[in-house]
Amino acid sequence: MSRLACPYCYQRIDGSRLWYQCTGRGSPGRKGCTPAKDEARATLTGFREPVRPSFPPTSKVSFGPSKANCPTCGAESGIRACPKCHTPLSSNFGASESPLIAMVGAKGTGKTVFLTVLAHELLNGLRRRFGADVRMTGVDRQALIGGFVGEVFSGQQLMPQTAATVDGRQAPTVFEWRQQHRVANMLNRFRTTFLSFYDTAGEDLNSSDKTHDLTYLGAADALILLLDPFMIQQARNQIQLPKEAVRSEQPAIDVLNRVTEKLRVQHNIKSSKRIRIPVAVAFAKIDAFFDVLGPDHPLLRVPAQSGPYDETAGQDTHEQVKALLHQWGADDIDTHLEYNYANFRYFAVSALGSPPDYASSTIDARGVHPFRVAEPLLWLLSQFNVVPRQRQR
């Protein structure tokens, strides 16, 4: 078994040598373990609530028994846990490769709104489209994202900006994607993929020192880079924006440079080589440019929402966004990506579908109508053969 990244602490671990977490039930003559603060979990994930202890397998063979007895209280447990951070893991973890997808963007880019709407898409439209069983794991984050979905879709309210992390640690949003895969055109096998999205605060990317604290970037198998076209001067000059809409003057190229440096160091990539992990470069808030682009612009042609990922439409979108960057005088972004990344693709997305009232943080009265939000993720999933792709004309 290859070493996988824990979806909670982003440390590389052996999926066949997971630990166990005590159930606290005890055994004859021995009192069950009581919850206490786990220092490893607090250090690596920031989770400081009392939990029952974790312990390693006694067997030295790979893929230890499904259950083991706690060495302290003797309780039998089948709860698997990360050997590094001791966070409980799904019983399906380690059975197959699970890409760790990171998400980064500067302050005010709209990452939390994007992630909230993407979560809704995963649990609804995408699940049905690909016949997958998709669920969110992690009680704390599940409740938080569930609350955000309610705020956006029912309350029509934007949520506050993501708080800056403490020592680079923040609870990720983890999804378990399970579906059937055909093997050798004969057998149907189940495959489970874990998707871990880390919604970093924009402030965490404002300096090189802070960026180097974000360990999840080094563990990333793929990256969604969310960029704000409002931070491109020539693009911003084309539209009328209230002052509340511009929350940062941080140039996108500066954020991109810092992320690139982090990836090069963590993945040990020589300066003569390009970074090989796939990177989906998504320009958010594209709804603000709908009138400027016009109804016949190719970017406003939404690909089919059924069947495999449309590779041809994806490549067309890439070229259209690239052309916009050059029109906006932001060709430095394109040059940087071309010279530093071997596999990247552009996307134009809108989590809300229309501009919100930035002053009151309220969403358009017509509600939320996501525009191409799932495409960056679908392209990345197709790179790992989690979803099928095909060329269409």
Side-chain angles (χ1 to χ4, degrees):
M1 171 62 66
S2 61
R3 296 183 68 82
L4 307 174
C6 168
Y8 296 98
C9 70
Y10 308 112
Q11 303 292 312
R12 290 286 171 178
I13 60 177
D14 186 344
S16 66
R17 300 288 297 169
L18 300 179
W19 281 29
Y20 304 84
Q21 185 182 68
C22 180
T23 62
R25 295 174 181 170
S27 59
R30 300 164 73 180
K31 185 179 179 181
C33 294
T34 57
K37 179 182 176 182
D38 188 312
E39 293 296 340
R41 191 168 177 181
T43 299
L44 291 173
T45 71
F47 186 87
R48 291 173 171 80
E49 297 298 319
V51 294
R52 291 190 171 87
S54 298
F55 56 93
T58 56
S59 173
K60 296 187 181 300
V61 299
S62 297
F63 292 103
S66 59
K67 295 182 179 181
N69 295 100
C70 173
T72 302
C73 74
E76 185 179 61
S77 175
I79 304 173
R80 309 312 295 269
C82 170
K84 300 290 187 180
C85 69
H86 304 163
T87 302
L89 299 168
S90 167
S91 58
N92 293 317
F93 184 83
S96 59
E97 292 186 4
S98 301
L100 173 61
I101 299 176
M103 183 176 67
V104 295
K107 178 182 178 181
T109 309
K111 299 176 300 301
T112 303
V113 177
F114 177 84
L115 179 57
T116 298
V117 175
L118 182 59
H120 186 269
E121 293 284 296
L122 272 165
L123 297 171
N124 293 278
L126 292 183
R127 171 182 63 81
R128 297 187 182 97
R129 176 175 174 178
F130 294 99
D133 174 27
V134 181
R135 64 188 180 93
M136 199 184 310
T137 64
V139 176
D140 292 340
R141 196 64 181 174
Q142 188 174 2
L144 180 63
I145 294 296
F148 285 167
V149 169
E151 287 182 43
V152 172
F153 284 87
S154 299
Q156 295 188 315
Q157 288 286 324
L158 298 179
M159 64 286 298
Q161 291 186 19
T162 303
T165 57
V166 178
D167 295 331
R169 290 181 288 276
Q170 182 104 277
T173 300
V174 181
F175 292 90
E176 185 174 336
W177 174 298
R178 181 172 171 82
Q179 66 185 143
Q180 283 188 326
H181 276 259
R182 202 162 186 79
V183 180
N185 292 321
M186 296 176 60
L187 299 176
N188 283 328
R189 297 284 178 86
F190 286 101
R191 177 185 178 186
T192 302
T193 301
F194 291 84
L195 308 174
S196 181
F197 299 100
Y198 192 95
D199 177 17
T200 178
E203 291 85 349
D204 291 337
L205 297 174
N206 281 352
S207 70
S208 297
D209 291 341
K210 198 68 174 176
T211 304
H212 277 278
D213 286 338
L214 298 173
T215 56
Y216 75 98
L217 283 178
D221 298 300
L223 187 66
I224 296 177
L225 175 60
L226 205 60
L227 296 180
D228 187 350
F230 296 174
M231 298 301 99
I232 300 174
Q233 186 65 52
Q234 290 187 39
R236 191 164 71 234
N237 291 343
Q238 295 182 6
I239 56 179
Q240 296 293 322
L241 283 176
K243 62 179 181 179
E244 295 86 358
V246 182
R247 298 182 177 180
S248 173
E249 296 294 338
Q250 178 88 333
I253 189 64
D254 288 353
V255 174
L256 183 55
N257 276 324
R258 292 177 189 128
V259 171
T260 299
E261 181 64 18
K262 174 67 174 177
L263 291 173
R264 282 195 174 279
V265 171
Q266 291 296 315
H267 291 267
N268 195 27
I269 298 172
K270 297 179 180 179
S271 60
S272 60
K273 303 291 184 180
R274 293 191 291 179
I275 297 167
R276 302 197 65 82
I277 68 169
V279 178
V281 184
F283 286 86
K285 308 174 186 178
I286 199 66
D287 53 81
F289 298 88
F290 282 174
D291 291 341
V292 174
L293 295 175
D296 296 327
H297 195 282
L299 279 179
L300 302 190
R301 299 173 192 162
V302 180
Q305 301 299 294
S306 60
Y309 172 73
D310 189 340
E311 180 68 20
T312 301
Q315 291 177 344
D316 289 345
T317 297
H318 174 88
E319 294 300 326
Q320 292 296 331
V321 174
K322 180 178 179 178
L324 274 181
L325 285 176
H326 284 259
Q327 291 175 26
W328 291 340
D331 51 291
D332 54 347
I333 294 175
D334 186 55
T335 300
H336 181 94
L337 289 164
E338 286 282 359
Y339 287 6
N340 288 279
Y341 294 86
N343 187 16
F344 71 94
R345 178 163 292 183
Y346 293 127
F347 298 87
V349 303
S350 169
L352 302 177
S354 58
D357 185 325
Y358 288 100
S360 62
S361 295
T362 56
I363 293 168
D364 189 283
R366 292 169 294 180
V368 178
H369 302 284
F371 179 80
R372 307 183 75 166
V373 165
E375 289 180 31
L377 175 62
L378 288 181
W379 176 68
L380 292 176
L381 292 178
S382 74
Q383 297 294 295
F384 295 100
N385 297 315
V386 176
V387 301
R389 63 181 180 270
Q390 66 182 30
R391 295 182 180 275
Q392 299 181 10
R393 272 297 179 194

